[in-house]
Amino acid sequence: MKKCKMGMFVKILVFLIFAAFFLPMTCLFLYLAIFDPSLPREERLLFAAGAIMFGGLVAFAAYRVLYLGIGWMEYDTDTVIFHCSRKEQYRFRWVDIPGNSVQAGPWQGGYMFVILTDGKQKKVGVNRFSTGFRNLERTLETAGVLKRIGITTIKEMKQNAEQVFGQFEKYREANPDSVKPKPEGDCVPCPDCNGKGIIFKKVLKLDIGKVCKTCGGSGYVKR
């Protein structure tokens, strides 16, 4: 089975954040709270609370990464396994997503999958920084998941645009007087519609074609 998991760039970025900020702040606050005799008691307590807060974040991150592991996905053309941790995984068929047990939707340039189990939500998110994301996205498209969650792919947008343009060409042939003829003399393609005669606009994720007002649908304007 193929895998989609957190990419190396994100791992390095998160490691640098914790190594360069949270861990040094924990050590600094702990030092001030314990070894600096010049500080009054109130400030010592404040730094101690800061050390506990930052230290808790570092401890949780280490526990999550080293012991539980970061969520990832295994999949083939029919099935997907969501690994919420090294000890917790859920298997579904693509045809059941989205459904009563798992929901899906766009998230940070990728997709978030929410597994509903025992009244709790388990989340596994992937995006363009994840390793194997492109292969996963192609599988989501082939399995019909993207269509079921209302996401229009680039391929579908091109097909919609070609269909609208083809319908416009048929309409223009059947109704030659409905659009302006090509101007006589020296002409150039219309800059607003790029010589197509219609302008596509996105309405509710659908490509809607309208006759270009600049050229009147002829696709050309005088130089």
Side-chain angles (χ1 to χ4, degrees):
M1 301 182 76
K2 298 179 181 179
K3 294 183 179 180
C4 185
K5 56 185 179 180
M6 180 182 290
M8 186 58 64
F9 173 78
V10 178
K11 290 181 180 179
I12 294 175
L13 180 62
V14 173
F15 174 79
L16 290 177
I17 291 175
F18 276 89
F21 181 74
F22 289 108
L23 185 59
M25 291 298 292
T26 301
C27 297
L28 175 62
F29 281 19
L30 189 62
Y31 171 81
L32 293 174
I34 298 177
F35 299 105
D36 192 343
S38 63
L39 294 177
R41 182 174 180 275
E42 291 77 9
E43 292 187 10
R44 284 174 176 269
L45 292 177
L46 182 62
F47 284 121
I52 294 174
M53 180 182 68
F54 287 112
L57 290 174
V58 173
F60 174 78
Y63 172 77
R64 178 68 194 187
V65 173
L66 301 178
Y67 182 72
L68 292 180
I70 301 172
W72 76 96
M73 298 168 55
E74 285 186 283
Y75 65 94
D76 55 24
T77 56
D78 299 317
T79 308
V80 57
I81 303 174
F82 296 104
H83 294 269
C84 298
S85 68
R86 292 191 177 97
K87 296 184 177 182
E88 190 175 15
Q89 64 184 39
Y90 302 90
R91 180 187 294 266
F92 296 96
R93 298 175 61 205
W94 286 122
V95 294
D96 298 325
I97 300 176
N100 295 329
S101 299
V102 56
Q103 295 294 316
W107 172 77
Q108 295 184 4
Y111 310 99
M112 174 65 72
F113 299 89
V114 182
I115 298 97
L116 309 175
T117 174
D118 298 329
K120 298 181 180 179
Q121 295 184 353
K122 306 291 184 177
K123 298 181 179 180
V124 177
V126 293
N127 57 27
R128 301 190 184 279
F129 294 105
S130 302
T131 303
F133 176 78
R134 290 186 178 180
N135 288 330
L136 173 64
E137 192 169 40
R138 283 194 290 267
T139 301
L140 292 174
E141 180 180 355
T142 303
V145 176
L146 297 185
K147 184 176 182 180
R148 290 194 291 272
I149 63 178
I151 295 179
T152 303
T153 63
I154 296 178
K155 180 180 179 181
E156 290 174 336
M157 286 190 290
K158 290 181 178 179
Q159 290 175 347
N160 292 338
E162 291 174 354
Q163 183 179 6
V164 172
F165 183 69
Q167 292 174 348
F168 176 74
E169 287 294 326
K170 292 180 180 179
Y171 174 79
R172 183 159 57 179
E173 292 175 0
N175 303 273
D177 297 330
S178 62
V179 297
K180 293 182 179 180
K182 180 179 177 179
E184 297 180 357
D186 190 11
C187 301
V188 294
C190 176
D192 291 340
C193 65
N194 297 320
K196 294 182 178 180
I198 55 176
I199 297 177
F200 295 104
K201 292 185 177 181
K202 184 68 67 175
V203 179
L204 297 177
K205 296 186 178 182
L206 296 177
D207 289 309
I208 304 299
K210 293 185 177 181
V211 176
C212 177
K213 295 181 179 181
T214 303
C215 64
S218 69
Y220 295 89
V221 294
K222 290 185 177 181
R223 186 182 295 274

